[in-house]
Amino acid sequence: MWRALAAASAPARALCRAPPPPPPPRRAASVAVSPAAGPADERVETRVAGLEPGQPVTLRAVAADERGCLFQSCAQYRADSRGQLHLGTDASHGGDYTGVEPMGLFWSLAPAGMERPYQRLVPRSTGTPMKVEVLVHQGHSLPGAFPGPVVAKAEVERWFAAPGVRRIRLKEGGVRGSLFLPPGDGPFPGVIDMYGDEGGLIEFRSSLLATRGFAALSLPYFDFEDLPKVMKELKLEYFEEAARFLQRHPKVKGPGIGVIGTGKGAELGLSMITFLPEVVAAVCISGCSSNTVADLHYGEMTLPGLRFDMNKVSVSDAGVFDTFEALDDPTNPANSSCVIPIEKAEGHFLLVVGEDDRVWKSPLYAELAIGRLRQHGKENFELLSYSGAGHRIDPPSTPFCQAKATTIKEALAKWEEKNGQKASEAKEVKLYGQIPPVERMDESLSTLVNCEKLSLSTNCIERIANLSSLKNLRILSLGRNNIKNLNGLEAVADTLEELWISYNFIEKLRGIRVMKKLKVLYMSNNLVKDWAEFVRLAELPLLEDLVFVGNPLQEKYASDQNSWIEEATKRVPKLKKLDGILVIKEEEEEEGTN
């Protein structure tokens, strides 16, 4: 009986027994990028923890440039048996790159799907770090597809100038540019830094060089301040003055200085080390061993420039220009006067080329340079040749650009082929939405002498320029670019009747008063924010149709359109149409009732 009672009480004892402890909670996923802030050319370590073993995830990087243009990249990974990832040792299985690429998320950053393609993520200002957000998403998602839920994220800052680096803007004699000095007393090795035919002042490589201990002079040579607007011809004396300035600077260690250049800048570097005793080392990235495009003068000597034959430019299915065959052949005896006599140089050369350069044949040009040096018994060079690399080889982990910007000359050639007409004879020329986008209104616009309507909208133009030959221009469309001011319009002030310049970055209307023939101004979605700028429009005697919606000033009245119209027309009383609405003046209403 006792045995039966014991058996009967066993289930009751089981019910009273404490339940087993629950499994430990799964740790939340996390991502760490180290260092969280540092130089833009420095490698970072990216690690993910807290995942399930073997869990598939997609890592994304997202950044925006100063204009607000969004760039992103992605790669597919799978967690190891501990639920961890390390981008320094684990391979990507898909996305924007595959394999072990510790910095892949950074160098593969490209314009997001809603942005214009083929833009470059480079800083306009070296004083502000680039912020990159790294996100971990559930599951595998393809580039451009909507990713899964975010399970972890982190932010990293990429500096282009270390703390203590000084930037000094130069206006020293004829020399223009920016001098970057490392922190400390020095002296430091000095280097002149130049880019190619995009013109203007490009500073980010110089500031990174200063971060690494060089006194670096970012040297523009056209299309900047009072330098020539176009690259028609160059004088080596300008570069000589820059070299002497840098060499004699109290923070610079002598006796000689170096030069680093890309494209046309590399070619100028070859000429500098050849003819200028101050220059004792040259790093030439994707350069030509002959002078190109613009004649180079030095005293009584002239090196003619090889020319581009636009009939040899091809266009891919994606609309990208391939200029690989377009430059005149430097090996042709007829072009021997263009060759830079680098055998005269006493310094050292570092030649850097990408074997997939489609801008021109930089591997061949490096071979020609080496052959010329060896022919004269010299071995003062080193060659770095990179398989799969293109024309633009920038500091480590700089985001790639898949194609060079379209020039006006190239865009006009494509327009002529499509329309079967010479652009110089046309009254209307449409160059909008180029792929890759146009970045500069260059001197080729001067051929449009008969043009009455010109469209350059939906590109990446930053400055209005080179309109002085367009004596018949009546309508100019520049919407959806990166224009920040109206300088340059004075060249067409006597003829321009309509300006379409919406979706830019214009905050000030200084200089618009010269547009005495302007009747129509479409400038919605810019950055004008106060009445002091708006009233400048009253100085336009013929302005009657204005679109201004989307500017911060107008958005203050977004909930009360009538007040906006009243305030705006009070200040610009000659308007007949504002933001697409006919403006009815009080005196007109009174006449109607009478």
Side-chain angles (χ1 to χ4, degrees):
M1 186 176 78
W2 295 109
R3 196 179 296 121
L5 283 172
S9 64
R13 287 198 305 270
L15 288 173
C16 295
R17 191 182 301 143
R26 187 163 62 89
R27 189 176 57 173
S30 64
V31 57
V33 184
S34 177
D41 58 352
E42 183 176 281
R43 174 173 163 168
V44 298
E45 297 290 329
T46 304
R47 299 174 183 270
V48 183
L51 301 173
E52 293 288 346
Q55 180 179 347
V57 290
T58 298
L59 268 68
R60 289 175 65 231
V62 181
D65 64 12
E66 291 98 328
R67 305 161 299 179
C69 179
L70 191 66
F71 292 76
Q72 63 181 11
S73 61
C74 76
Q76 300 169 353
Y77 288 90
R78 195 172 289 275
D80 64 15
S81 59
R82 297 168 299 172
Q84 297 177 359
L85 282 175
H86 178 209
L87 269 59
T89 56
D90 295 324
S92 165
H93 303 288
D96 289 319
Y97 61 90
T98 57
V100 178
E101 294 287 350
M103 297 298 294
L105 288 174
F106 293 85
W107 59 249
S108 65
L109 282 164
M114 76 288 289
E115 305 288 358
R116 279 165 282 186
Y118 302 113
Q119 296 185 70
R120 299 190 68 244
L121 180 56
V122 294
R124 267 63 178 178
S125 169
T126 58
T128 304
M130 180 185 296
K131 295 183 179 181
V132 182
E133 190 174 34
V134 177
L135 304 104
V136 183
H137 296 267
Q138 287 183 14
H140 284 168
S141 53
L142 295 173
F146 195 77
V150 175
V151 297
K153 62 181 177 179
E155 186 175 87
V156 58
E157 288 188 354
R158 308 287 282 166
W159 299 337
F160 291 90
V165 168
R166 286 195 295 151
R167 173 181 179 266
I168 304 168
R169 282 294 293 272
L170 290 186
K171 211 160 188 177
E172 187 77 21
V175 178
R176 303 292 176 263
S178 295
L179 175 63
F180 290 86
L181 295 174
D185 296 329
F188 310 103
V191 61
I192 291 176
D193 178 23
M194 298 178 294
Y195 273 89
D197 59 4
E198 56 267 71
L201 178 64
I202 301 175
E203 298 178 314
F204 75 97
R205 186 165 62 190
S206 295
S207 61
L208 286 172
L209 284 167
T211 297
R212 299 301 178 187
F214 291 87
L217 170 57
S218 179
L219 185 68
Y221 48 94
F222 77 102
D223 197 24
F224 180 71
E225 292 184 349
D226 56 354
L227 294 175
K229 297 300 180 188
V230 297
M231 191 173 57
K232 288 185 177 178
E233 60 180 10
L234 296 169
K235 293 184 177 180
L236 197 60
E237 285 84 356
Y238 171 76
F239 303 91
E240 183 176 46
E241 185 180 354
R244 289 177 176 172
F245 164 79
L246 187 61
Q247 182 198 37
R248 296 169 182 172
H249 195 281
K251 291 281 189 179
V252 172
K253 176 170 59 178
I257 63 167
V259 60
I260 180 171
T262 297
K264 179 67 181 178
E267 167 199 314
L268 287 166
L270 292 179
S271 292
M272 291 173 71
I273 193 174
T274 297
F275 296 110
L276 306 180
E278 296 85 1
V279 180
V280 298
V283 179
C284 303
I285 304 170
S286 305
C288 183
S289 52
S290 293
N291 187 52
T292 66
V293 182
D295 293 352
L296 179 65
H297 305 283
Y298 186 44
E300 296 183 358
M301 180 210 72
T302 296
L303 287 180
L306 294 175
R307 301 299 190 239
F308 278 91
D309 183 352
M310 295 307 297
N311 293 321
K312 295 181 180 179
V313 175
S314 60
V315 183
S316 72
D317 293 338
V320 176
F321 286 94
D322 187 335
T323 58
F324 186 69
E325 298 287 350
L327 186 66
D328 287 346
D329 183 3
T331 65
N332 187 331
N335 296 323
S336 60
S337 60
C338 303
V339 176
I340 303 168
I342 57 174
E343 69 278 2
K344 295 181 180 181
E346 297 298 328
H348 294 267
F349 299 90
L350 176 60
L351 307 173
V352 185
V353 298
E355 295 174 11
D356 200 26
D357 186 348
R358 300 302 298 180
V359 173
W360 59 16
K361 303 174 183 180
S362 56
L364 169 64
Y365 305 151
E367 288 179 16
L368 293 175
I370 291 171
R372 190 174 183 94
L373 290 171
R374 283 180 168 161
Q375 184 181 352
H376 290 83
K378 296 201 167 185
E379 295 289 333
N380 55 339
F381 65 86
E382 182 180 352
L383 172 66
L384 298 178
S385 183
Y386 294 103
S387 174
H391 184 75
R392 190 72 177 255
I393 300 174
D394 275 327
S397 305
T398 300
F400 285 164
C401 181
Q402 299 297 324
K404 180 176 177 286
T406 300
T407 66
I408 295 292
K409 190 173 185 178
E410 293 165 342
L412 288 175
K414 184 162 62 173
W415 184 91
E416 289 180 339
E417 181 179 358
K418 178 181 178 181
N419 292 276
Q421 181 184 9
K422 288 185 177 181
S424 59
E425 299 173 355
K427 291 188 175 182
E428 181 175 355
V429 177
K430 298 178 179 179
L431 305 179
Y432 57 80
Q434 295 294 307
I435 301 176
V438 172
E439 293 183 355
R440 289 182 57 245
M441 295 174 66
D442 63 41
E443 64 273 17
S444 296
L445 287 173
S446 63
T447 61
L448 304 181
V449 292
N450 291 300
C451 185
E452 297 181 5
K453 182 178 180 180
L454 173 63
S455 176
L456 282 161
S457 59
T458 317
N459 282 292
C460 290
I461 296 165
E462 295 190 357
R463 192 167 64 83
I464 302 169
N466 292 301
L467 295 174
S468 57
S469 297
L470 280 68
K471 303 297 185 184
N472 298 298
L473 192 65
R474 294 176 46 252
I475 302 174
L476 177 60
S477 175
L478 289 169
R480 296 185 183 275
N481 277 285
N482 301 320
I483 297 168
K484 297 176 183 175
N485 60 61
L486 299 174
N487 296 338
L489 286 175
E490 64 276 0
V492 290
D494 293 336
T495 61
L496 197 68
E497 298 176 5
E498 298 187 19
L499 176 62
W500 307 349
I501 200 164
S502 296
Y503 292 94
N504 277 281
F505 298 90
I506 298 167
E507 182 178 349
K508 306 292 184 183
L509 299 178
R510 196 177 298 115
I512 200 167
R513 61 183 302 176
V514 300
M515 310 302 296
K516 300 302 182 185
K517 296 288 183 69
L518 198 66
K519 299 178 181 178
V520 176
L521 176 59
Y522 297 157
M523 62 168 303
S524 70
N525 299 90
N526 275 277
L527 301 176
V528 181
K529 57 187 177 184
D530 55 55
W531 289 114
E533 291 301 319
F534 186 86
V535 295
R536 295 180 189 271
L537 299 177
E539 300 176 5
L540 303 177
L542 301 181
L543 183 64
E544 56 185 32
D545 186 354
L546 173 66
V547 175
F548 206 78
V549 66
N551 281 273
L553 177 61
Q554 182 274 334
E555 289 179 339
K556 295 176 184 176
Y557 296 85
S559 61
D560 190 352
Q561 187 180 56
N562 290 334
S563 293
W564 160 245
I565 293 175
E566 180 182 348
E567 293 295 329
T569 55
K570 184 195 306 181
R571 291 166 172 84
V572 187
K574 294 180 181 179
L575 287 178
K576 296 181 180 178
K577 187 186 288 188
L578 177 61
D579 296 334
I581 300 173
L582 289 174
V583 175
I584 302 176
K585 305 289 194 304
E586 290 184 5
E587 57 267 25
E588 293 174 353
E589 291 178 343
E590 292 174 0
E591 289 176 6
T593 55
N594 291 335

